[in-house]
Amino acid sequence: MLFLCSVSPKFITAVMGKKCEGCKIAENYNYWSELPATKHQFFKVMYGDFEHQMNIPQKFMECFKEKLSPWYTLIAPSKHKWKIRLSSTYDERPLVFTDGWKQFVRDNGVETNDFLVFRFVGDSSFEVSVFDKSGCEKEGCHFSINSNSISRRFSCTSNLHINHGSVAKEEIEICDSSSEDYSLWKEDEEETEDVSHVITEEKRERRGGSSEGKFPQSQKYFISNRRDLKPGEKKRASKMAECYRRSMKDNKRVFPVFQITMLPTHVYRGFNLTIPKVWANKHMIKESHEVELRVPDSTKGSWRVGCRWTKGGSIQCQLRSKWPVFVLENNLEEHDTCVFELIQKGISDDVRTPIFNVHIFRTVDHIVPLTVSTRMV
């Protein structure tokens, strides 16, 4: 026979036990005095005027055994750093983060009701994790950049935006790019030489009897100054491009796309890019024309590039005229990958120019400008 009986909450508490006051005191002492300072952390919920300053918990500053510094470094999950001043109010309570804090908030997209955890890591530095009101960590903090370290022409402080044009962080996170780092690149301060009037097409075949072939002519080509690629980096860009294309399908982006991984003849010499034949037959105008290339969020505008169909045995659709200008101004290199997204289909007789968004994926994030050189042919 089964007997049921009610159990008093007081009985449960007595059985489970609780900490005595002496142990609580000992735990407090051991936490602040015996444990290394790198075990200490605190959290803050963002509300009120959090964008301009942030109070440090009074207990943390009273018990923290490290000597307080007037400046602290905050390290985001992206490993980028921000210098923040620790100041006191008029009555020296509480201590607050002031100078530099507003920039940290902006660069990491901190919002009202976000939950920040600060873990001391030594050398007057805290690693900071940011959680949103859902209770999950904010993804963007793993890709944030200190805006003081990038060119002013960029308004976005995600290193995915800097490195991959318009590609959103949610799209890149789907795949492992096998990148060892997302280091920031700075654009060269000097203006890039305008070579649109001196870059020529690959040397045309000379035919017997023509006076053209009797005298040497100059031809421009580009020299890469990029560091040597590490194992696995050659395929990094193409993997990220494929990942982006899958995310386009998931997001039901309906524009036709094709993907090209850059070869030396695309970016260093010759300067012709062949559009995949099946794709071109389906989507491109069947005559020579211009296309407009846009790199999303680029401040350089757009590029008008000549597109032609070759004659002879193998009929191909190629980007040629002014393609090297696009290469140079966007610093495309061998093994970089471009996804061409046809956002406006062209109509014959130049009634409507085809327009492509070109999404650029790089094998190496740090950009070193190409060198323009000349040879006699």
Side-chain angles (χ1 to χ4, degrees):
M1 182 179 294
L2 178 64
F3 294 94
L4 299 177
C5 62
S6 61
V7 180
S8 167
K10 291 183 179 180
F11 175 79
I12 294 176
T13 302
V15 172
M16 293 178 64
K18 62 180 182 179
K19 294 178 181 177
C20 66
E21 291 302 317
C23 285
K24 290 181 180 179
I25 294 172
E27 288 173 347
N28 183 282
Y29 174 82
N30 278 272
Y31 178 86
W32 293 108
S33 301
E34 300 298 329
L35 289 181
T38 52
K39 294 287 187 180
H40 298 162
Q41 54 190 335
F42 66 89
F43 78 88
K44 291 289 292 186
V45 179
M46 300 294 103
Y47 61 89
D49 191 29
F50 74 90
E51 294 179 347
H52 297 92
Q53 63 180 37
M54 192 201 78
N55 297 350
I56 308 301
Q58 190 63 32
K59 178 180 177 181
F60 187 89
M61 286 307 177
E62 289 176 350
C63 299
F64 192 52
K65 64 182 180 181
E66 294 287 314
K67 183 179 179 180
L68 297 181
S69 169
W71 288 90
Y72 278 86
T73 299
L74 302 187
I75 307 171
S78 64
K79 303 306 180 185
H80 281 270
K81 301 176 180 180
W82 289 257
K83 284 287 187 181
I84 313 293
R85 181 187 292 276
L86 182 64
S87 306
S88 59
T89 56
Y90 70 95
D91 59 356
E92 297 187 355
R93 291 188 181 185
L95 296 174
V96 295
F97 282 148
T98 54
D99 299 353
W101 171 252
K102 185 175 181 179
Q103 181 182 332
F104 175 84
V105 168
R106 181 179 64 249
D107 291 347
N108 287 278
V110 179
E111 301 173 308
T112 300
N113 294 325
D114 282 352
F115 179 104
L116 275 61
V117 176
F118 297 77
R119 185 174 72 86
F120 185 71
V121 292
D123 195 25
S124 298
S125 300
F126 287 93
E127 288 185 345
V128 186
S129 298
V130 183
F131 300 81
D132 61 26
K133 59 184 178 182
S134 73
C136 295
E137 189 175 15
K138 298 194 81 164
E139 299 91 337
C141 295
H142 284 266
F143 309 101
S144 60
I145 293 173
N146 188 324
S147 58
N148 277 347
S149 63
I150 62 177
S151 170
R152 293 185 181 275
R153 68 186 179 88
F154 292 106
S155 59
C156 178
T157 55
S158 168
N159 61 14
L160 296 185
H161 179 96
I162 300 299
N163 297 324
H164 309 296
S166 66
V167 183
K169 53 182 173 291
E170 293 84 1
E171 295 166 336
I172 291 298
E173 288 169 357
I174 296 172
C175 297
D176 177 10
S177 66
S178 72
S179 170
E180 297 183 3
D181 71 308
Y182 279 94
S183 57
L184 174 68
W185 62 270
K186 285 188 177 181
E187 191 177 45
D188 194 350
E189 297 290 338
E190 298 180 359
E191 290 292 325
T192 303
E193 178 189 2
D194 181 5
V195 297
S196 59
H197 64 289
V198 293
I199 298 174
T200 63
E201 292 184 0
E202 188 176 19
K203 182 178 67 174
R204 294 176 181 173
E205 196 173 321
R206 307 293 188 226
R207 298 193 175 179
S210 171
S211 60
E212 287 183 66
K214 295 182 179 180
F215 303 100
Q217 298 182 4
S218 63
Q219 182 183 65
K220 294 292 178 181
Y221 66 101
F222 301 154
I223 299 174
S224 173
N225 298 301
R226 183 179 62 187
R227 66 167 173 79
D228 293 338
L229 298 180
K230 300 176 183 177
E233 284 186 324
K234 289 183 179 181
K235 295 184 178 180
R236 177 200 179 203
S238 61
K239 288 181 179 178
M240 297 184 75
E242 290 163 4
C243 172
Y244 175 62
R245 291 180 63 184
R246 287 200 296 273
S247 73
M248 292 175 71
K249 291 181 180 179
D250 293 340
N251 294 327
K252 299 181 180 179
R253 294 268 287 276
V254 296
F255 296 116
V257 298
F258 67 89
Q259 174 179 327
I260 300 288
T261 297
M262 299 296 109
L263 300 173
T265 52
H266 296 150
V267 294
Y268 299 146
R269 61 182 181 273
F271 303 113
N272 62 84
L273 184 142
T274 301
I275 298 174
K277 190 171 184 178
V278 174
W279 194 97
N281 283 326
K282 184 175 181 180
H283 299 288
M284 299 300 291
I285 300 172
K286 301 302 190 295
E287 60 188 34
S288 295
H289 59 287
E290 282 192 334
V291 300
E292 182 177 333
L293 304 183
R294 300 175 180 175
V295 176
D297 297 318
S298 171
T299 60
K300 296 181 179 180
S302 60
W303 293 260
R304 302 277 289 200
V305 174
C307 180
R308 74 172 191 179
W309 289 84
T310 61
K311 298 178 181 180
S314 178
I315 300 176
Q316 297 176 323
C317 185
Q318 295 182 332
L319 301 182
R320 292 188 66 101
S321 175
K322 297 185 180 178
W323 167 252
V325 179
F326 180 84
V327 169
L328 182 65
E329 294 189 0
N330 289 283
N331 217 90
L332 292 179
E333 300 253 23
E334 183 184 8
H335 302 299
D336 289 349
T337 299
C338 292
V339 174
F340 293 79
E341 183 180 20
L342 183 62
I343 62 174
Q344 175 177 291
K345 193 169 184 178
I347 300 177
S348 298
D349 301 324
D350 203 29
V351 174
R352 191 170 72 179
T353 301
I355 300 176
F356 287 89
N357 274 343
V358 184
H359 306 281
I360 300 173
F361 300 84
R362 304 185 188 278
T363 56
V364 175
D365 297 331
H366 183 76
I367 292 179
V368 182
L370 295 161
T371 297
V372 181
S373 191
T374 305
R375 62 187 170 195
M376 303 304 294
V377 295

